[in-house]
Amino acid sequence: MTDKTLLHTARIPVRWGDMDSYGHVNNIIYMQYLEEARVAWFERVGIAMSGAPQGPVVLQTQHTYLKPVVHPATVVVELHAGALGRSSLVVEHRLTTLDDPDTIYGEGYCKLVWIDHRSGRSVALPEHLRALLSVT
């Protein structure tokens, strides 16, 4: 993923409650970290996440857990541009920590589809988003 263009970096503090009985961040919490990073990126580029007639929905996610994260830590989620379709985009991710930026704790991707919320049908990606991703 090193040749992919960086779209956004999010820093998310690990809460004590994110831990599970094994003493590391619970696997489902990683999905919440990734969601927070995507939502922050969308908001930064002017994509409304609530009340908009059209927007992204998750079609598929994949995450490979490479090393457990433990409290206390600050997770660093890097989002990178992936493949573009007519109505879909792939956002790749890499997860490190603020204290250990050279260790990759996890990586993967999320495929999103743009839909019309009223009809539930896919629609073309917004042109300003496509333009942003096409130059990356």
Side-chain angles (χ1 to χ4, degrees):
M1 185 184 333
T2 56
D3 61 337
K4 300 284 184 171
T5 300
L6 180 65
L7 299 172
H8 183 72
T9 302
R11 289 169 181 79
I12 304 167
V14 174
R15 302 167 302 180
W16 177 255
D18 293 348
M19 307 277 281
D20 62 18
S21 62
Y22 294 112
H24 55 71
V25 172
N26 185 280
N27 63 317
I28 198 62
I29 300 298
Y30 290 85
M31 296 300 114
Q32 293 175 354
Y33 296 157
L34 300 171
E35 177 185 57
E36 284 198 37
R38 284 192 312 271
V39 168
W41 174 62
F42 281 133
E43 290 175 351
R44 188 173 58 85
V45 298
I47 303 291
M49 292 305 296
S50 61
Q54 298 177 348
V57 295
V58 173
L59 176 66
Q60 180 182 39
T61 58
Q62 187 274 329
H63 182 76
T64 302
Y65 301 89
L66 298 170
K67 183 176 179 184
V69 175
V70 297
H71 182 274
T74 298
V75 170
V76 178
V77 179
E78 293 179 350
L79 301 180
H80 297 263
L84 281 179
R86 181 193 74 82
S87 62
S88 66
L89 69 146
V90 173
V91 176
E92 298 178 9
H93 62 264
R94 179 176 28 216
L95 194 141
T96 62
T97 65
L98 202 56
D99 290 337
D100 190 8
D102 295 325
T103 300
I104 300 173
Y105 287 76
E107 61 189 2
Y109 67 88
C110 180
K111 185 171 188 176
L112 300 145
V113 175
W114 228 258
I115 66 159
D116 177 276
H117 292 296
R118 187 183 317 177
S119 70
R121 300 177 81 71
S122 67
V123 295
L125 291 172
E127 282 305 315
H128 75 282
L129 182 61
R130 182 175 294 284
L132 176 71
L133 294 168
S134 293
V135 298
T136 58

